[in-house]
């Protein structure tokens, strides 16, 4: 759907998202890559299967750089606060969205935000970020946030 516009979609011809992998950071030497939200779903009557939305918890080492947490790995640099920022993995605004197999990992705010009615998620895997401090919990960031206005949701 169009950004900022809620699209009802078509229950007789639903949209589909299958085998989606979104990655912020980790595959190159840059630690400046960033996004607010990896996937925003405004369309309703959509089916998703196998979505993995990952903010890098480790990045490649630069030439001559040593790992910062050798007890975890000698081969990578573990990301620290401020590197490869990504606030949210998935934001769902459409109604009647069904997702089977959703993994959201290491984003710096809510991992998943759900605003659509009659949402349904079967199998959710979440890893909170390792590189946050007490401010993360004080801000009440959650692994799976359903907006208070949503009347019906199943997960």
């Amino acid at each position: 759907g169009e950004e900022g516009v809620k699209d009802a979609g078509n229950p007789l011809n639903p949209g589909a998202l299958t085998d989606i992998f979104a990655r912020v950071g980790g595959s190159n030497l840059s630690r400046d890559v960033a996004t607010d939200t990896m996937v925003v779903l405004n369309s309703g009557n959509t089916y998703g299967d196998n979505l993995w939305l990952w903010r890098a918890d480790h990045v490649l080492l630069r030439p001559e750089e040593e790992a910062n947490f050798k007890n975890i790995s000698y081969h990578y640099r573990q990301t620290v606060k401020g590197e490869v920022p990504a606030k949210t993995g998935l934001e769902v605004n459409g109604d009647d969205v069904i997702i089977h197999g959703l993994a959201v990992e290491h984003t710096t705010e809510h991992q998943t935000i759900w605003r659509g009615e009659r949402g349904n998620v079967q199998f959710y895997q979440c890893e909170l970020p390792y590189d946050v401090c007490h401010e993360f919990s004080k801000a009440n960031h959650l692994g799976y946030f359903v907006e208070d206005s949503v009347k019906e949701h199943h997960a």
Side-chain angles (χ1 to χ4, degrees), residues 50-70:
N50 189 28
L51 282 72
W52 182 20
L53 313 175
W54 183 67
R55 173 190 167 248
D57 57 332
H58 59 276
V59 295
L60 294 176
L61 291 172
R62 293 178 176 145
E64 309 303 319
E65 181 180 27
E66 290 190 21
N68 55 345
F69 292 95
K70 292 178 184 168

Side-chain angles (χ1 to χ4, degrees), residues 3 20 22-24 33-42 51-55 84-93 102 104-105 107-115:
E3 184 175 352
I20 304 294
R23 177 181 187 167
V24 178
V33 295
T35 190
D36 287 335
T37 306
M38 292 184 213
V39 175
V40 178
L41 187 52
N42 292 316
L51 282 72
W52 182 20
L53 313 175
W54 183 67
R55 173 190 167 248
V84 295
K87 294 179 182 177
T88 300
L90 176 66
E91 177 184 330
V92 177
N93 299 311
L102 171 60
V104 182
E105 299 182 6
T107 61
T108 57
E109 294 184 10
H110 293 313
Q111 307 293 298
T112 296
I113 300 173
W114 206 287
R115 295 190 177 103

Side-chain angles (χ1 to χ4, degrees), residues 10-29:
N10 182 345
L12 299 176
N13 188 20
L17 298 168
T18 60
D19 299 326
I20 304 294
F21 175 59
R23 177 181 187 167
V24 178
S27 62
N28 57 42
L29 299 178

Side-chain angles (χ1 to χ4, degrees), residues 133-141:
C133 61
H134 64 282
E135 294 158 357
F136 184 82
S137 63
K138 284 185 177 181
N140 293 320
H141 295 309

Side-chain angles (χ1 to χ4, degrees), residues 60-153:
L60 294 176
L61 291 172
R62 293 178 176 145
E64 309 303 319
E65 181 180 27
E66 290 190 21
N68 55 345
F69 292 95
K70 292 178 184 168
N71 60 320
I72 297 173
S73 172
Y74 285 97
H75 306 289
Y76 296 99
R77 172 185 170 81
Q78 299 304 123
T79 53
V80 295
K81 189 175 180 182
E83 294 179 338
V84 295
K87 294 179 182 177
T88 300
L90 176 66
E91 177 184 330
V92 177
N93 299 311
D95 296 336
D96 303 298
V97 172
I98 298 170
I99 298 179
H100 292 175
L102 171 60
V104 182
E105 299 182 6
H106 311 297
T107 61
T108 57
E109 294 184 10
H110 293 313
Q111 307 293 298
T112 296
I113 300 173
W114 206 287
R115 295 190 177 103
E117 287 294 336
R118 296 171 301 283
N120 186 314
V121 174
Q122 301 298 316
F123 184 80
Y124 182 67
Q125 188 265 324
C126 173
E127 291 183 23
L128 297 176
Y130 305 130
D131 59 325
V132 294
C133 61
H134 64 282
E135 294 158 357
F136 184 82
S137 63
K138 284 185 177 181
N140 293 320
H141 295 309
L142 302 172
Y144 195 94
F145 175 73
V146 178
E147 191 78 40
D148 289 340
S149 61
V150 174
K151 294 179 178 73
E152 185 180 344
H153 184 83

